[in-house]
Amino acid sequence: MRTADFKFDLPPELIAQQPAAKRDESRLMVLHRHENRVEHARFPAFLDFLKPGDVLVLNNSRVIPARLRGANSKTAGKFEILLVEEQALNDWSTMIRPGKNARIGTQIILNKGNKSTPVIATVAEIKPDGNRRLTFSGTKNILDELEWLGEIPLPPYIQRDNEIAEDKDRYQTVFAKPAGSVAAPTAGLHFTEKMLDEIRARGVKICFVTLHVGPGTFLPVKSEDLSGHTMHEERFELGEDTVSAISEAKNSRHRIIAVGTTTVRVLESVAKQNAGKLNVYKGKTNIFIYPPFRFQIVDALLTNFHLPCSTLLMLISAFASPGEVRGREMILSAYAEAIRERYRFFSYGDAMLII
């Protein structure tokens, strides 16, 4: 398939610039993929599509304040840094703007506030993809400094100069635990603690995976043909409790409902390398799911509305395709209706349930 096959025109005013007033007040489009039928609801109606015995799987990765701002120690030129992945203690792979000024040996002073000892980032390596490896000094662990030094790494399509007070709370799921993502697993942003309790009360098992979302989630597919695209690797962990819950549900013919494309990628990555079954696993994945793809674990998917030509749009197009029906066409038709109905798109936007 071609990347251009996943293009659609989105009015800029439909890109959500801030969260809904309350987490669970977003809209919900429900796509019945076997009937190629769409219905419109509010997010609390998600409960009505659950059945006793279902397993709801969420990504519990916590977003870190991964955006840092600093100045060249010699010229005072400004830099913006995005932490990508920890290589070792105080040793990170990063994205830097402007990259042309971040030469090997460049020292960037990050300190702000009243701390007496400055935190300094030194460019140690320029990677083939243009990312920089930075080493940090003036701190025992840069992760410990991020709460006061860093900013929430809002995606580039949220056009604001600075974060707002709500971002620190709302660009984080209520069940976030292990820190490591530089972008939120946004399908999970709609849930409240109360709603999770209501889901459990309906006989639905809730369990978690951890996938630390990297900036690659926003990178465009540059190849004309999808087979030429390579995904960035992302760290994930699939634990024993989740494996047991899913295996038991599968044996009992109950559904596995994934919350977010990151959750799908964890489950289908492990199943793909293990003859369709799950096992406890900790590692990295660069699985790229696009039509046609045989899903072995996930039976329903809750997700947000995604960017044109994005790998996320390609994944849900693959998931929407039962039998001979073309999932891409079905998704683009549903998106066209979402645009007509003025749904809010992307991270802070509305939700879509594919069943």
Side-chain angles (χ1 to χ4, degrees), residues 74-95:
K74 293 183 178 178
T75 67
K78 294 182 178 180
F79 287 100
E80 181 180 315
I81 299 168
L82 181 68
L83 300 178
V84 174
E85 184 178 357
E86 186 179 28
Q87 310 291 304
L89 180 65
N90 282 336
D91 188 334
W92 283 75
S93 174
T94 69
M95 300 172 71

Side-chain angles (χ1 to χ4, degrees), residues 74-75 95 97 134-135 143 154 170 201 206 212 231 241 257 263 266 281 301 304 341:
K74 293 183 178 178
T75 67
M95 300 172 71
R97 293 190 304 180
L134 297 184
T135 57
L143 278 173
L154 294 174
R170 296 295 301 277
I206 294 177
H212 295 308
M231 295 281 286
D241 289 348
I257 303 171
T263 299
V266 168
Y281 195 93
L301 169 61
N304 277 23
E341 295 292 329

Side-chain angles (χ1 to χ4, degrees), residues 33-257:
R33 54 185 174 147
H34 297 282
E35 306 165 28
N36 193 10
R37 176 173 64 87
V38 162
E39 63 178 294
H40 304 285
R42 289 283 172 179
F43 192 74
F46 175 68
L47 293 168
D48 299 333
F49 295 94
L50 301 176
K51 302 175 183 178
D54 286 344
V55 174
L56 186 70
V57 191
L58 307 104
N59 180 7
N60 67 357
S61 178
R62 176 173 290 276
V63 180
I64 61 175
R67 179 167 286 119
L68 305 172
R69 301 183 191 275
N72 189 309
S73 62
K74 293 183 178 178
T75 67
K78 294 182 178 180
F79 287 100
E80 181 180 315
I81 299 168
L82 181 68
L83 300 178
V84 174
E85 184 178 357
E86 186 179 28
Q87 310 291 304
L89 180 65
N90 282 336
D91 188 334
W92 283 75
S93 174
T94 69
M95 300 172 71
I96 299 182
R97 293 190 304 180
K100 64 180 181 180
N101 296 337
R103 303 176 183 88
I104 292 178
T106 299
Q107 291 191 325
I108 303 169
I109 300 175
L110 302 174
N111 191 42
K112 64 179 181 180
N114 298 318
K115 285 213 169 186
S116 57
T117 303
V119 178
I120 297 175
T122 302
V123 181
E125 180 186 355
I126 300 176
K127 296 176 177 288
D129 60 3
N131 285 1
R132 265 60 172 175
R133 182 174 141 247
L134 297 184
T135 57
F136 294 90
S137 57
T139 175
K140 292 181 179 179
N141 187 345
I142 187 62
L143 278 173
D144 297 335
E145 313 291 344
L146 294 182
E147 286 301 321
W148 68 272
L149 190 61
E151 301 172 11
I152 297 297
L154 294 174
Y157 45 73
I158 294 181
Q159 298 293 317
R160 299 201 234 109
D161 292 333
N162 296 295
E163 62 184 75
I164 58 178
E166 295 171 289
D167 291 328
K168 193 169 185 178
D169 173 59
R170 296 295 301 277
Y171 197 64
Q172 196 82 264
T173 63
V174 298
F175 45 81
K177 287 188 176 179
S181 282
V182 300
T186 55
L189 296 179
H190 304 281
F191 291 90
T192 63
E193 292 285 5
K194 180 182 177 182
M195 190 171 191
L196 293 173
D197 289 340
E198 290 175 351
I199 289 171
R200 293 185 182 99
R202 295 190 179 213
V204 175
K205 174 77 173 180
I206 294 177
C207 53
F208 300 93
V209 301
T210 302
L211 182 141
H212 295 308
V213 187
T217 190
F218 302 120
L219 294 180
V221 177
K222 296 181 179 179
S223 60
E224 291 186 7
D225 188 276
L226 299 191
S227 61
H229 179 70
T230 300
M231 295 281 286
H232 283 230
E233 288 187 325
E234 293 172 310
R235 294 175 292 132
F236 77 91
E237 185 170 354
L238 178 59
E240 184 175 352
D241 289 348
T242 299
V243 170
S244 297
I246 291 175
S247 299
E248 183 178 334
K250 282 291 186 185
N251 290 336
S252 302
R253 298 186 180 277
H254 292 300
R255 296 181 304 172
I256 310 304
I257 303 171

Side-chain angles (χ1 to χ4, degrees), residues 57-59 209 257-268 298:
V57 191
L58 307 104
N59 180 7
V209 301
I257 303 171
V259 177
T261 57
T262 57
T263 299
V264 173
R265 293 180 68 237
V266 168
L267 299 178
E268 298 298 335
V298 179

